[in-house]
Amino acid sequence: MKNFWIVLVIVGVLSLGFTSCGNFAPIQEVQRTIVFNEDLSGEVGFGIAYNVSDFAILKSSYDDPVSLIAAEMAKVAGWEFFDTVASEAGGYTWVIITSQFSDPAEFYDLLINATSDETTGVGGTGTGEELPPLSIEKTDDFLRTRYKFTWTLLAQAATSGTTNETYPGTLRVQLPGRIIETNGAILSDGKTVSWEWGKYDYVPVVLVTETKNNIGLLLTILAASFLCLSTLAAISAIFLFVRRKKQIKGKV
């Protein structure tokens, strides 16, 4: 089983949580974000939050703690290329790394250290509705395109028995189009869905969205208009034919 979240937490704490001077900066939250575009390209982000005051301690002990944290996160994630963002929000200093993907294959590669090799309910290669595997699907038909994302977030305690720490975790996912089904919480922007989990939670993730196929809709309207005009033309032709026959019969 891949132990991404717990390893990420441990690496972050051990790398920067203490020094010989006794400085300590415990992690407060962890977050993962995934944004898909219509062609199934997109961006994955991993983030760690520290209290602003605790992060100030790190800054006093390290020349560039943001880069150091980002490098450790990328090492655990197995990412060679990534961007780093640091920001303050809600009393926290967030360090976030992001990486781009151009198709589902690259997306799965980016998350290979965050899924399980087992089939028993931890979001890996297993099947089943209760604890679904990591999957992104795009289905096109004549009038619409449907996107479906599934996953199972791993319980932190199940991926490591070496720590009693619990770090609130959040996953945020955005798919193209209108949300038509989800078991998560829809955020205020109406496009992003959020799931929370912790030490003992195995959280199934389901998100389905839909976009309209404007070309298909236009062709449907044109076809309906053509059928309507053809019907009217046929009725008019029959009416004129019958009328013409009556006129000829009247002259005889």
Side-chain angles (χ1 to χ4, degrees):
M1 180 184 296
K2 310 297 185 180
N3 300 334
F4 179 81
W5 274 110
I6 292 302
V7 174
L8 176 60
V9 170
I10 294 174
V11 168
V13 172
L14 293 183
S15 297
L16 296 170
F18 54 85
T19 68
S20 59
C21 299
N23 293 336
F24 184 72
I27 293 171
Q28 300 299 315
E29 290 188 20
V30 293
Q31 185 179 100
R32 179 182 289 120
T33 59
I34 306 172
V35 177
F36 289 96
N37 302 317
E38 290 189 2
D39 62 354
L40 294 187
S41 64
E43 180 180 271
V44 172
F46 294 149
I48 293 178
Y50 297 89
N51 282 328
V52 171
S53 57
D54 291 335
F55 195 78
I57 297 175
L58 295 181
K59 292 178 69 174
S60 68
S61 302
Y62 298 89
D63 292 334
D64 188 2
V66 171
S67 296
L68 185 56
I69 294 171
E72 292 295 341
M73 294 169 66
K75 186 186 301 182
V76 174
W79 292 0
E80 183 177 359
F81 304 103
F82 60 93
D83 295 316
T84 304
V85 177
S87 62
E88 291 187 8
Y92 292 158
T93 296
W94 282 91
V95 179
I96 301 171
I97 61 171
T98 60
S99 188
Q100 309 290 322
F101 57 89
S102 60
D103 54 42
E106 290 188 3
F107 167 68
Y108 296 137
D109 285 343
L110 288 175
L111 290 183
I112 192 161
N113 283 356
T115 58
S116 170
D117 294 325
E118 300 179 0
T119 61
T120 53
V122 286
T125 57
T127 58
E129 295 182 0
E130 290 187 0
L131 296 170
L134 176 65
S135 175
I136 177 64
E137 302 173 2
K138 178 181 179 182
T139 306
D140 293 304
D141 63 28
F142 193 65
L143 295 179
R144 67 185 182 186
T145 297
R146 180 165 290 186
Y147 299 84
K148 183 176 182 179
F149 177 80
T150 63
W151 201 3
T152 298
L153 300 174
L154 310 183
Q156 294 178 14
T159 56
S160 176
T162 62
T163 177
N164 292 320
E165 297 293 335
T166 299
Y167 302 94
T170 303
L171 170 69
R172 293 184 176 183
V173 179
Q174 186 179 124
L175 296 181
R178 177 177 61 92
I179 298 171
I180 61 175
E181 178 187 349
T182 187
N183 61 352
I186 301 175
L187 301 186
S188 58
D189 63 3
K191 301 183 295 182
T192 306
V193 181
S194 176
W195 294 262
E196 296 181 357
W197 84 106
K199 187 173 182 179
Y200 300 108
D201 300 325
Y202 284 87
V203 179
V205 172
V206 177
L207 174 60
V208 182
T209 63
E210 187 177 273
T211 60
K212 293 181 180 179
N213 187 338
N214 293 328
I215 295 178
L217 182 61
L218 178 60
L219 291 175
T220 300
I221 294 174
L222 291 175
S225 299
F226 177 77
L227 180 61
C228 182
L229 291 174
S230 298
T231 301
L232 290 175
I235 293 173
S236 298
I238 294 172
F239 175 78
L240 291 175
F241 176 76
V242 173
R243 184 179 179 184
R244 181 63 177 170
K245 286 194 66 175
K246 287 183 178 179
Q247 289 177 345
I248 295 174
K249 186 176 181 180
K251 290 181 179 180
V252 175

